[in-house]
């Protein structure tokens, strides 16, 4: 199979590419990524010499580019991660979320339909369902979409477009909706990496509101395993919830990180709450379990320990992000050619 992975230089995308190369070395992967602030070619450094991996620098909103990548690489399946992904940024500036998450998905869908791509896996999120009260049952795939942040609304719009292609054109798309991921290569604007790095530097840990908001946490490689099941065994047209079956309050996550690092709770700072902050997410994953055999394997405590260890062992990775050094070098050296073929630079 020839796979196009959009957003393959981001957090989940790069973990997915690595997972695929390990588990399906017979497949070829083309990564299409615009290298926004969240995209980092260093996330694929260990795969530089891999002849089964190609990188194309480009924007999913660029119609002619997407069409040529699909055609020139004889793409059989698309796995679409590319997105703006941070809720706080969507509150500060929603336009780029509309552009990338909605227009970009529309563009990719149309090019993929025209190119007769055999499978299209759209990576969505639990946030499209809205939020839950403390005693509400978890979200199922039948829960109506009720997004509450610009990020969630843009992802929900994209989901609707994907399902419209399924119903109107019989397009073989699938949707995964997963809960909060954590693990190696996560950009340090999200809760877990931000807290780990701040604690490592003895900097304050900003907890929004009273820290009682609840998220369901999944180790990123469990998510990747679930995506592989959906990609290869899922029913076209279907939506699959994925999650870690692991609800925790934010404050408990922060305490767990401090404990692993042996740092004091006095580093915690309760700060102003996020506007419209969703209180709780939880996922009903019975469909993925019964149809596909999906099972999240990594317990949170173990996953957190591994993640903390990764950030301790990879200080150069996040220090380059802190200084901004990780940005721009690729564009400066290769960007003029727009689409660059070949193994990862
Ligand atoms: P991320 O922000 O770490 O990475 C996004 C990637 O997309 C980056 O490499 C970026 O350069 C690329 N990108 C952005 N705009 C682009 C464009 N216009 N054209 C091409 N590439 C572009 O995101 P992530 O956390 O890895 O999330 C990946 C996907 O998974 C997103 O669609 C997100 O909505 C979804 N998701 C994330 C989580 C989570 O907890 N992080 C949970 C569920 C679903
Ligand atoms: P985040 O990692 O941004 O993911 P999402 O908003 O998509 O769930 O945030 C996870 C939770 O942590 C969310 O309830 C907001 C909270 N949070 C903080 O308390 N402090 C922070 O600095 C950040 C980034 C998040």
């Amino acid at each position: 199979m020839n796979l196009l992975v959009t957003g393959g230089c981001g957090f989940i995308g790069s973990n997915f590419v690595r997972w695929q190369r390990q588990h399906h070395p017979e497949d070829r992967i083309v990564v299409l990524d615009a290298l926004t602030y969240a995209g980092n070619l260093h996330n694929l450094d260990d795969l530089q010499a891999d002849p089964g991996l190609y990188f194309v620098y480009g924007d999913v909103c660029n119609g002619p580019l997407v069409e040529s990548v699909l055609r020139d690489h004889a793409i059989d399946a698309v796995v679409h991660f590319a997105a703006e992904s941070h809720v706080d940024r969507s509150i500060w500036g929603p336009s780029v979320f509309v552009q990338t998450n909605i227009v970009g998905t529309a563009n990719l869908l149309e090019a993929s339909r025209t190119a007769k791509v055999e499978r299209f896996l759209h990576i969505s999120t639990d946030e499209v369902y809205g939020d839950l009260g403390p005693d509400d049952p978890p979200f199922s795939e039948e829960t109506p979409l009720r997004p509450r942040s610009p990020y969630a609304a843009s992802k929900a719009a994209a989901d609707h477009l994907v399902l419209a292609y399924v119903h109107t054109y019989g397009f073989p798309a699938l949707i995964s909706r997963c809960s909060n991921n954590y693990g190696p290569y996560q950009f340090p604007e999200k809760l877990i990496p931000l807290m780990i790095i701040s604690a490592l530097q003895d900097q304050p840990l900003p907890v929004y509101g009273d820290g009682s908001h609840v998220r369901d946490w999944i180790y990123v490689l469990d998510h990747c395993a679930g995506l592989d099941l959906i990609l290869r065994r899922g029913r076209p047209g279907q939506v699959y919830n994925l999650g870690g079956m692991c609800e925790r309050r934010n404050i408990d996550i922060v305490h767990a990180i401090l404990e692993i690092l042996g740092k004091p709770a006095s580093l915690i700072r309760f700060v102003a709450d996020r506007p419209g902050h969703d209180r709780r997410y939880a996922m009903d994953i019975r469909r993925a379990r019964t149809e596909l055999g999906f099972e999240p394997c990594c317990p949170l405590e173990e996953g957190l320990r591994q993640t903390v260890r990764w950030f301790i062992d990879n200080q150069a990775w996040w220090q380059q992000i802190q200084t901004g050094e990780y940005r721009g070098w690729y564009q400066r050296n290769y960007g003029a050619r727009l689409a660059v073929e070949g193994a990862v630079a």
Side-chain angles (χ1 to χ4, degrees), residues 85-88 125-127 151 180-181 186 189-195 205-209 211 213-215 217 250 254 271 273-274 277-279 281:
S85 69
H86 189 39
V87 173
D88 292 326
T125 163
D126 58 358
E127 304 194 26
Y151 163 65
N180 283 62
N181 284 226
Q186 186 164 31
E189 64 187 350
K190 305 279 167 65
L191 179 74
I192 288 179
L194 179 68
M195 297 299 149
L205 274 48
V207 173
Y208 298 164
H213 300 77
V214 172
R215 296 292 182 264
W217 293 98
N250 293 338
V254 173
V271 299
D273 208 352
R274 171 188 281 173
H277 196 171
D278 286 343
R279 290 223 65 90
Y281 305 138

Side-chain angles (χ1 to χ4, degrees), residues 76-189:
D76 303 299
V78 174
V79 187
H80 179 36
F81 292 94
E84 290 292 331
S85 69
H86 189 39
V87 173
D88 292 326
R89 284 181 190 258
S90 83
I91 296 168
W92 303 324
S95 307
V96 66
F97 285 73
V98 173
Q99 180 63 19
T100 295
N101 299 3
I102 307 176
V103 177
T105 302
N107 187 48
L108 196 64
L109 277 170
E110 187 54 17
S112 302
R113 179 176 80 89
T114 310
K116 298 195 168 44
V117 160
E118 285 162 27
R119 243 156 143 78
F120 185 105
L121 172 52
H122 173 67
I123 313 301
S124 187
T125 163
D126 58 358
E127 304 194 26
V128 297
Y129 295 121
D131 79 340
L132 294 168
D135 301 319
D136 289 337
F139 301 125
S140 81
E141 290 85 353
E142 266 48 77
T143 303
L145 304 195
R146 204 169 51 92
R148 289 156 39 101
S149 70
Y151 163 65
S154 67
K155 293 295 289 186
D159 284 22
H160 283 309
L161 276 169
V162 172
L163 292 175
Y165 266 61
V166 169
H167 293 294
T168 309
Y169 304 112
F171 183 65
L174 305 100
I175 295 180
S176 67
R177 296 190 181 130
C178 191
S179 56
N180 283 62
N181 284 226
Y182 67 98
Y185 302 100
Q186 186 164 31
F187 196 82
E189 64 187 350

Side-chain angles (χ1 to χ4, degrees), residues 5-22 29-33 35 38-57 81 184-185 310 314 317 329-330 342-345:
V5 177
T6 72
C9 297
F11 163 47
I12 308 174
S14 61
N15 277 287
F16 179 79
V17 167
R18 186 169 297 103
W19 198 98
Q20 284 294 320
R21 294 305 299 146
Q22 281 162 9
I29 295 186
V30 178
V31 167
L32 172 63
D33 200 296
L35 298 179
N40 186 346
L41 258 184
H42 290 309
N43 294 359
L44 298 174
D45 268 352
D46 54 320
L47 299 175
Q48 268 184 31
D50 183 340
L53 178 63
Y54 292 82
F55 173 67
V56 177
Y57 169 55
F81 292 94
Y185 302 100
W310 189 87
N314 291 275
W317 180 87
W329 63 267
Y330 183 82
V344 183

